[in-house]
């Protein structure tokens, strides 16, 4: 900022930036987009490697041979599941007790925070294999959610059967230095959250999830694998890494699973994308770019894409292995091969003498064998976000009224950046009210027999429409005051996205790519036609409107952009958008997903400042 204020010496660099600000902004933005795209090219990223030598994946024994037992267990479990609407507790408890494990039931309850606030009960089952060569000070977890064949997300019964077989096999081994916890949860993520809260004796969603009490525990959990096998014969294992609020596990854990799958000839995919092998350079880049953007799209939502995602907030490295019966692999593998992979993973984890800490926690993956570290993607993101800072600096200089810095006359009016404070206060107050208004919307809607989904949606639509009239209450302002307003808006936006990039680069990148062209050009013309077009663009990038637009585009792309499907897809998009608003609020209240909070407290206030500029 000292360089910017040194206008008395007619700094040539500052004058050049002022004179060519628009060109520099466009150049930085395009360069950032190109740099991000180039990161998927093999020459611009790095090959994965093991930072933690203690894992020793090539030296562990992989002798699991209970594939037949796992199949028999699966058939027995399927028969038992037919007579139970929920977890077949007697069967599960009996199986683990026969193996000599410490088996416990865990009861929890969910007090749904909306509507009539019903209470739902749930029950988890967990078994602890006490390490014969340890003192119970460390543990690893093998988990699986309970789903039957008719579940929308696919059955997990094969994975549970394999878990029982692994428990039997591990029980016969005497080399364990860490306890192994086998966890089967009910109600998907709610069950995981309740068990983790109870295990660590915390309440992450007080008044919503009552985690209950655990009858027994082990030591601190070092790592966890969540197993979701949909068939006893699979053609690929899809690895899922994204956790709550975009958190990722240590890269060494991912590399460990990939290496052991390769050694057991188990085909792997990442976000349903195959790794580019023996492709032409451009085709390889396209496949890598597609994989990297698929990961970023999942990470940007802040929603965990598996039960593993809730372990990360407790500094537990975890990922999900999802087995699919479809794939490009020429042959399928059975439970025995997957069991050997898991045996190798847990044997390697058993060799660890300390927590995962040496490899990366912030990265992007263009394939299963390549990675982009934070040191590589940060400059690309900085280029995309640079136009906001450049424009803010130029606007800040214009507030002084110095003719050398503004190119104007000496009688130009001046303004203080603090003149934007009332507008910022109003915008952030509106954002705070949006975040806290959901119980009032819900209560008001139920008085008119509306569901919680419709009550919330129509309430937020009404708030959006009312916020469009805020500029009418701003009064008249001169050009310098408007410049101060835009400067404050750009600085606020930069603060939000650059801070967000430190924890969720994908979310920050998506917001920056969409918003920068509109934010930087705000107030840059007096042509009425251009002002109207810019106002329309501003309306389209509102988080509420833009999310609806994304849903509609996805629906149209699935229908091949057929014109006759527009009306039907609009209807489906509005229905999906209602569910999206409800899900974002639920994820915040139940799991602590930041997306709803960041949108209300940061993105919408910045948008309102732009709208009032």
């Amino acid at each position: 900022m000292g360089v910017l204020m040194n206008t008395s010496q007619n700094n040539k660099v500052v004058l050049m930036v002022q004179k060519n600000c628009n060109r520099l902004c466009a150049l930085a933005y395009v360069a950032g987009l190109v740099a991000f795209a180039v990161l998927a090219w093999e020459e611009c990223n790095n090959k994965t490697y093991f930072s933690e030598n203690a894992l020793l994946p090539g030296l562990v024994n992989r002798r699991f041979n209970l594939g037949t037992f796992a199949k028999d267990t699966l058939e027995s479990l399927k028969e038992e599941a037919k007579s139970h609407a929920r977890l077949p507790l007697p069967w599960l408890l009996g199986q683990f007790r026969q193996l000599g494990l410490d088996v416990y039931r865990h009861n929890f309850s969910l007090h749904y925070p909306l509507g009539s606030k019903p209470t739902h009960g749930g029950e988890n089952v967990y078994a602890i294999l006490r390490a014969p060569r340890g003192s119970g000070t460390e543990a690893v977890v093998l988990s699986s959610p309970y789903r039957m064949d008719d579940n929308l997300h696919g059955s997990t019964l094969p994975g549970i059967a394999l878990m029982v077989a692994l428990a039997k096999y591990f029980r016969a081994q005497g080399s364990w230095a860490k306890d192994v916890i086998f966890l089967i949860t009910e109600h998907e993520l709610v069950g995981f959250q309740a068990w983790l809260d109870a295990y660590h004796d915390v309440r992450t969603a007080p008044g919503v999830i009552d985690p209950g009490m655990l009858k027994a525990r082990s030591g601190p959990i070092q790592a966890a694998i969540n197993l979701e096998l949909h068939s006893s014969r699979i053609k690929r294992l899809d690895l899922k890494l994204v956790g709550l609020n975009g958190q990722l596990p240590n890269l060494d854990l991912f590399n460990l699973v990939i290496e052991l799958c390769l050694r057991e000839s188990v085909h792997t995919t990442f976000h349903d994308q195959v790794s580019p092998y023996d492709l032409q350079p451009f085709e390889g880049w396209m496949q890598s770019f597609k994989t990297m953007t698929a990961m970023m799209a999942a990470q940007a939502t802040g929603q965990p894409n598996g039960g593993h995602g809730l372990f990360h907030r407790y500094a537990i490295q975890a990922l999900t292995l999802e087995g699919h019966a479809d794939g490009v692999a020429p042959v399928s593998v059975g439970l025995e091969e997957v069991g050997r992979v898991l045996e190798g993973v847990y044997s390697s984890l058993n060799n660890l003498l300390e927590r995962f800490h040496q490899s990366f926690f912030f990265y992007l993956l263009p394939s299963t064998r390549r990675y982009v570290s934070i040191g590589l993607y940060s400059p690309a993101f900085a280029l995309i976000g640079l136009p906001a800072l450049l424009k803010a600096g130029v606007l800040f200089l214009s507030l002084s009224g110095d003719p050398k810095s503004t190119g104007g006359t000496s009688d130009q009016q001046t303004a203080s950046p603090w003149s934007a404070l009332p507008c910022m206060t109003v915008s952030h107050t509106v954002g705070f009210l949006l975040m806290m208004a959901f119980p009032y919307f819900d209560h008001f809607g139920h008085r008119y027999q509306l569901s919680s989904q419709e009550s919330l949606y129509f309430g937020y639509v009404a708030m959006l429409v009312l916020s469009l009239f805020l500029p009418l209450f701003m009064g008249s302002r001169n050009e310098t005051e408007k410049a101060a307003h835009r400067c404050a808006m750009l600085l606020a936006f930069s603060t939000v996205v650059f801070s967000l990039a430190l924890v969720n680069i994908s979310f920050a990148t998506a917001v920056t790519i969409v918003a920068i062209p509109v934010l930087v050009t705000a107030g840059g013309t007096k042509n009425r036609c251009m002002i109207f077009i810019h106002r329309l663009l501003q309306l389209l990038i509102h988080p509420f409107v833009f999310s609806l637009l994304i849903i509609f585009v996805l629906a149209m792309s699935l229908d091949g952009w057929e014109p006759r499907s527009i009306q039907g897809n609009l209807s489906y998009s509005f229905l999906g958008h209602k569910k999206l608003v409800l899900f974002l609020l639920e994820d915040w209240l139940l799991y602590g997903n930041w997306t709803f909070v960041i949108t209300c407290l940061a993105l919408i206030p910045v948008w309102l400042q732009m709208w009032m500029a």
Side-chain angles (χ1 to χ4, degrees):
M1 192 59 75
V3 175
L4 294 178
M5 294 299 294
N6 191 20
T7 56
S8 60
Q9 298 181 10
N10 198 16
N11 188 288
K12 293 182 179 180
V13 175
V14 174
L15 290 177
M16 185 274 293
V17 171
Q18 289 179 272
K19 184 177 180 180
N20 302 284
C21 180
N22 292 335
R23 295 188 182 92
L24 290 174
C25 289
L27 179 62
Y29 182 77
V30 174
L33 293 179
V34 172
F36 239 111
V38 169
L39 289 177
W41 187 33
E42 189 171 302
E43 298 298 325
C44 295
N45 51 53
N46 299 310
K47 186 178 180 180
T48 57
Y49 61 94
F50 285 98
S51 298
E52 181 56 79
N53 293 325
L55 290 172
L56 302 174
L59 298 181
V60 296
N61 294 323
R62 301 184 302 278
R63 300 171 181 171
F64 178 77
N65 57 0
L66 299 182
T68 303
F69 174 80
K71 291 180 182 178
D72 295 339
T73 304
L74 175 59
E75 294 303 319
S76 175
L77 177 57
K78 287 182 177 179
E79 290 297 322
E80 191 70 22
K82 292 178 182 178
S83 58
H84 292 80
R86 297 172 57 181
L87 273 175
L89 288 171
W91 188 90
L92 291 171
L93 295 172
Q95 289 290 325
F96 286 117
R97 284 196 180 116
Q98 287 179 6
L99 301 177
L101 305 185
D102 298 337
V103 191
Y104 306 95
R105 299 164 66 170
H106 168 231
N107 294 291
F108 63 92
S109 56
L110 168 66
H111 306 285
Y112 190 68
L114 301 173
S116 59
K117 297 180 173 56
T119 298
H120 304 279
E123 196 163 11
N124 299 326
V125 173
Y126 68 103
I128 303 177
L129 171 60
R130 302 292 180 180
R133 302 181 63 181
S135 56
T137 56
E138 292 180 325
V140 289
V141 172
L142 177 60
S143 66
S144 178
Y146 179 77
R147 301 180 198 145
M148 297 180 64
D149 292 330
D150 57 351
N151 192 283
L152 179 64
H153 301 289
S155 170
T156 58
L157 299 184
I160 295 175
L162 178 58
M163 181 190 296
V164 174
L166 282 168
K168 180 179 181 179
Y169 182 81
F170 288 174
R171 183 69 177 83
Q173 308 300 311
S175 58
W176 297 107
K178 294 179 173 65
D179 292 350
V180 183
I181 302 175
F182 302 92
L183 171 65
I184 302 172
T185 66
E186 191 177 23
H187 300 319
E188 299 291 337
L189 294 181
V190 176
F192 280 102
Q193 186 63 68
W195 188 85
L196 286 167
D197 279 359
Y199 191 90
H200 295 91
D201 197 20
V202 297
R203 291 177 181 266
T204 55
V208 180
I209 296 180
D210 181 5
M213 300 289 292
L214 294 186
K215 296 180 180 179
R217 293 180 177 84
S218 179
I221 300 173
Q222 307 295 311
I225 300 294
N226 184 46
L227 192 59
E228 298 181 8
L229 300 183
H230 303 315
S231 173
S232 59
R233 301 290 301 180
I234 64 170
K235 285 194 172 182
R236 63 185 177 96
L237 273 180
D238 190 55
L239 275 69
K240 297 182 176 181
L241 303 182
V242 177
L244 185 66
N245 298 317
Q247 286 184 277
L248 299 172
N250 189 276
L251 188 57
D252 269 346
L253 180 61
F254 176 81
N255 295 337
L256 174 65
V257 175
I258 291 295
E259 178 66 25
L260 289 168
C261 285
L262 179 64
R263 291 174 182 268
E264 293 297 333
S265 301
V266 178
H267 183 64
T268 56
T269 58
F270 181 60
H271 286 280
D272 297 321
Q273 303 295 323
V274 297
S275 296
Y277 293 115
D278 298 327
L279 297 178
Q280 295 297 323
F282 180 75
E283 294 176 346
W285 170 81
M286 281 293 295
Q287 182 62 41
S288 297
F289 182 72
K290 187 177 180 181
T291 303
M292 188 173 74
T293 52
M295 175 186 177
M296 294 181 69
Q299 188 182 24
T301 64
Q303 171 72 13
N305 59 354
H308 69 280
L310 298 178
F311 285 83
H312 296 161
R313 64 161 40 150
Y314 303 94
I316 301 170
Q317 310 312 310
L319 55 80
T320 289
L321 300 179
E322 185 175 13
H324 295 272
D326 62 315
V328 297
V331 295
S332 60
V333 296
L335 297 178
E336 190 162 305
E337 289 83 354
V338 179
R340 283 199 291 268
V341 170
L342 290 171
E343 179 193 0
V345 170
Y346 282 88
S347 296
S348 295
L349 294 175
N350 191 55
N351 293 330
L352 273 181
L353 300 178
E354 52 193 356
R355 285 182 175 272
F356 283 99
H357 69 282
Q358 294 196 36
S359 192
F360 292 95
F361 291 91
F362 300 97
Y363 52 86
L364 298 173
L365 295 176
S367 73
T368 56
R369 285 294 188 176
R370 313 289 301 185
Y371 76 99
V372 179
S373 69
I374 186 173
L376 293 177
Y377 66 64
S378 291
F381 173 78
L383 281 174
I384 299 175
L386 181 61
L389 294 175
L390 285 176
K391 193 70 173 181
V394 171
L395 290 171
F396 180 80
L397 288 175
S398 70
L399 303 182
S400 65
D402 188 347
K404 292 182 180 181
S405 64
T406 63
T409 60
S410 59
D411 59 349
Q412 184 174 350
Q413 293 177 311
T414 63
S416 168
W418 291 103
S419 62
L421 184 60
C423 179
M424 295 184 68
T425 303
V426 170
S427 62
H428 283 279
T429 301
V430 171
F432 178 77
L433 292 176
L434 283 172
M435 186 183 72
M436 303 303 296
F438 69 91
Y440 304 100
F441 291 157
D442 187 41
H443 179 71
F444 184 79
H446 276 272
R447 294 178 60 182
Y448 294 93
Q449 306 301 315
L450 294 177
S451 65
S452 296
Q453 178 176 289
E454 293 177 330
S455 302
L456 294 171
Y457 190 77
F458 293 140
Y460 284 116
V461 168
M463 291 289 286
L464 167 62
V465 173
L466 290 175
S467 67
L468 299 181
F469 296 96
L470 284 177
L472 300 178
F473 301 93
M474 292 301 297
S476 60
R477 294 170 295 168
N478 58 45
E479 290 300 319
T480 308
E481 290 175 335
K482 291 181 180 179
H485 188 154
R486 294 197 299 273
C487 177
M489 176 264 295
L490 290 170
L491 290 175
F493 175 78
S494 299
T495 302
V496 170
V497 295
F498 280 98
S499 301
L500 184 59
L502 297 176
V503 292
N504 191 337
I505 182 62
S506 301
F507 190 12
T509 302
V511 170
T512 307
I513 289 175
V514 172
I516 279 290
V518 182
L519 290 177
V520 171
T521 56
T525 181
K526 294 183 179 180
N527 184 286
R528 290 189 176 183
C529 181
M530 294 302 297
I531 290 175
F532 174 78
I533 294 175
H534 199 272
R535 282 294 191 185
L536 181 61
L537 291 175
Q538 289 178 347
L539 191 60
L540 289 178
I541 68 166
H542 188 285
F544 194 87
V545 179
F546 188 75
S547 57
L548 174 61
L549 184 63
I550 289 294
I551 295 174
F552 176 70
V553 170
L554 291 175
M556 289 297 296
S557 63
L558 292 176
D559 283 340
W561 296 95
E562 289 288 339
R564 62 175 179 270
S565 64
I566 292 178
Q567 184 176 356
N569 283 329
L570 274 175
S571 176
Y572 287 128
S573 298
F574 276 110
L575 180 61
H577 201 229
K578 291 180 184 179
K579 293 181 179 179
L580 174 64
V581 173
L582 179 64
F583 290 163
L584 287 176
L585 182 59
E586 288 178 341
D587 288 344
W588 171 44
L589 297 175
L590 270 64
Y591 314 119
N593 190 337
W594 297 340
T595 304
F596 180 80
V597 177
I598 291 174
T599 301
C600 290
L601 296 185
L603 300 184
I604 288 180
V606 170
W607 185 91
L608 288 174
Q609 292 174 52
M610 175 187 64
W611 185 254
M612 292 185 287

